[in-house]
Amino acid sequence: MADKTASLTLGEKSYDYGLLSGSVGPDVVDIRKLYAQTGAFTYDPGFTSTASCESAITYIDGDQGILLHRGYPIDQLAENSTFMEVAHLLIHGELPKKDELDTFTYTITRHTMLHEQLIQFYRGFRRDAHPMAIMCGVVGALSAFYHDSTDITDPKQRMIASHRLIAKMPTIAAMAYKYSIGQPFMLPQNNLSYTGNFLRMTFGVPAEPYEVNPIVEQAMRTIFILHADHEQNASTSTVRLAGSSGANPFACIAAGIACLWGPAHGGANEAALNMLREIGTPDRIPEYIARAKDKEDPFRLMGFGHRVYKNYDPRAKVMQKIAADVLDQLDIDDPVFDVARELERIALHDEYFIEKKLYPNVDFYSGVVLSAIGFPTSMFTALFALARTVGWVAQWNEMISDPDQKIGRPRQLYTGPTQRDYVPVDKR
Ligand code: SDX
């Protein structure tokens, strides 16, 4: 209940609205009755000042550079957790006890295979199809195969669909990669970890045994954890909006994948590495910094800036360390990493970036690591989608089980023509 209020005066009249407080973070002005009482809408394109929902999953303090999943700091989870632990935490609200973790992992592991006919979908794509195009298509098609888990009013079916989505994303992503390089699909091998299974399906071949490299497995596990969830970002909001109409979970996650693909969002990891490669050497950095600052030039430093973080993205700090460790341990000397670190150093001392509070985000260093591991840039956003499916599923479940949830239906500021009569074509 709100004991604090916010007052709004429109013309001669004044209106009071409740101020609601969360466990931490900004209060919200409860304007649910504003239109009915005042006849006016609020106006907030891009939702920079709008809380779309109540959630208990992830908290971000953009000024302090804090990211908590159910209260646990992201650097502690990245350091100590497995991806299955974080998935359980996001969905169920608590770090699992050993037996809960074993049961959760066992359940996910036994949903890793795809329906044999779904595999035929891949044959319909060109070999050079972008993996995100394939992910959109194949994930959306899951609803054509798993009808026994599309009744969103049944909590059991919701959880089966959630397990299926988390389990099958690595298989779907690995198959998208295999298809693009003309290699045979590798079936899941359930004695491996979630991450190890994905690496084997991606880089293994039927002709020989595949040994999971523990350095790569640990790096990928941490990368998945860093990408798991991030409050009400564009793709999560897309999943929630799609889910608010009662669409089945597979369709909702396919909608999230489509939104994540954009270069301003999850597509930035692919764009950031392409940018670093285009810069090529540290001496060319000033030219690109100048372009990023030039209002006439649409170029932006990809992997820099964030709607919420006006400080260093805590995930970028962990990612930079993973990049250094993986390159060192795999004995890879990639000049792109030097370009990335020098670009960061210069940008963080440049007045423009300081004034606009632009810092590296999660996408700035991820491409360096993924490239070192052997992924093509076209796979980077598919890996982001694989990991974020855990967050999307957790947020979707939270929304669907919220008794107050209703279909999302924003309004607008209309600036088009007022009513006018039809003019026959010979009179126009
Ligand atoms: C992700 O929301 C999330 O949580 C997303 C995410 C997640 O985990 O889900 O964190 C993942 O999407 C990370 C962001 C990845 N995107 C990029 O790296 C693309 C490059 N960044 C920008 O496009 C931009 O910073 C955004 C989209 C990330 C944020 O844009 P905002 O909040 O709408 O900010 P803005 O565009 O209004 O920029 C504010 C100012 C502008 O200048 P002015 O008009 O005020 O003069 O900063 C400038 C922008 O021109 N600016 C940049 C810049 N980002 C913002 N200038 C140069 N390079 C940049 N990267």
Side-chain angles (χ1 to χ4, degrees), residues 25-164:
D27 287 346
V28 298
V29 179
D30 183 354
I31 57 163
R32 283 174 283 188
K33 294 190 171 56
L34 180 129
Y35 176 58
Q37 289 172 348
T38 69
F41 297 141
T42 60
Y43 183 65
D44 186 17
F47 310 118
T48 46
S49 304
T50 294
S52 63
C53 64
E54 177 180 333
S55 178
I57 298 173
T58 291
Y59 174 70
I60 301 172
D61 181 328
D63 294 327
Q64 303 299 319
I66 291 170
L67 169 57
L68 308 177
H69 289 320
R70 302 284 191 180
Y72 295 100
I74 188 64
D75 54 326
Q76 292 184 25
L77 293 171
E79 181 71 29
N80 303 299
S81 261
T82 65
F83 188 59
M84 287 294 99
E85 264 188 320
V86 171
H88 184 284
L89 173 67
L90 289 170
I91 293 171
H92 299 294
E94 295 296 340
L95 285 169
K97 296 182 180 59
K98 179 77 174 62
D99 59 332
E100 291 169 325
L101 179 59
D102 292 346
T103 305
F104 183 79
T105 305
Y106 177 87
T107 304
I108 296 294
T109 303
R110 269 142 197 84
H111 279 293
T112 50
M113 289 175 65
L114 283 191
H115 189 293
E116 197 61 15
Q117 253 177 270
L118 194 64
I119 295 173
Q120 304 313 319
F121 267 73
Y122 286 78
R123 311 276 174 232
F125 290 101
R126 286 173 38 150
R127 290 282 179 177
D128 62 353
H130 194 288
M132 286 297 277
I134 295 177
M135 299 282 280
C136 286
V138 173
V139 172
L142 291 173
S143 38
F145 286 82
Y146 298 107
H147 299 106
D148 61 341
S149 59
T150 50
D151 176 359
I152 58 149
T153 62
D154 176 353
K156 284 196 180 58
Q157 290 199 31
R158 293 206 297 265
M159 205 37 73
I160 293 171
S162 303
H163 293 153
R164 279 175 164 153

Side-chain angles (χ1 to χ4, degrees), residues 218-381:
Q218 177 53 37
M220 279 313 296
R221 177 184 301 135
T222 309
I223 290 170
F224 284 162
I225 290 172
L226 294 178
H227 288 80
D229 191 55
H230 210 240
E231 200 215 64
Q232 303 312 320
N233 59 83
S235 53
T236 298
S237 300
T238 301
V239 170
R240 279 180 171 261
L241 196 56
S244 72
S245 75
N248 75 71
F250 305 106
C252 295
I253 300 305
I257 293 170
C259 177
L260 186 75
W261 194 359
H265 189 16
N269 54 17
E270 177 177 356
L273 191 76
N274 291 337
M275 174 193 74
L276 292 170
R277 287 207 173 120
E278 184 186 327
I279 293 173
T281 52
D283 61 305
R284 294 190 64 205
I285 289 173
E287 169 196 338
Y288 283 83
I289 295 270
R291 284 188 57 195
K293 291 153 67 171
D294 177 359
K295 281 277 158 255
E296 301 310 308
D297 189 333
F299 173 78
R300 285 193 165 182
L301 278 190
M302 300 316 279
F304 257 79
H306 199 277
R307 169 61 56 76
V308 176
Y309 289 122
K310 302 307 171 193
N311 198 323
Y312 213 105
D313 182 334
R315 302 168 298 175
K317 280 187 184 147
V318 180
M319 195 65 83
Q320 187 191 51
K321 185 171 178 323
I322 296 173
D325 292 349
V326 167
L327 289 173
D328 179 52
Q329 291 165 11
L330 297 183
D331 198 20
I332 294 170
D333 177 19
D334 186 346
V336 147
F337 189 39
D338 301 330
V339 172
R341 281 187 295 200
E342 181 61 6
L343 173 56
E344 175 191 343
R345 188 191 67 76
I346 295 173
L348 295 189
H349 289 84
D350 183 289
E351 202 37 54
Y352 173 92
F353 290 87
I354 295 168
E355 184 246 324
K356 292 186 187 300
K357 299 183 178 178
L358 301 174
Y359 291 85
N361 59 50
V362 68
D363 295 310
F364 187 62
Y365 285 106
S366 55
V368 174
V369 195
L370 297 174
S371 171
I373 290 172
F375 292 102
T377 48
S378 61
M379 274 296 289
F380 290 3
T381 310

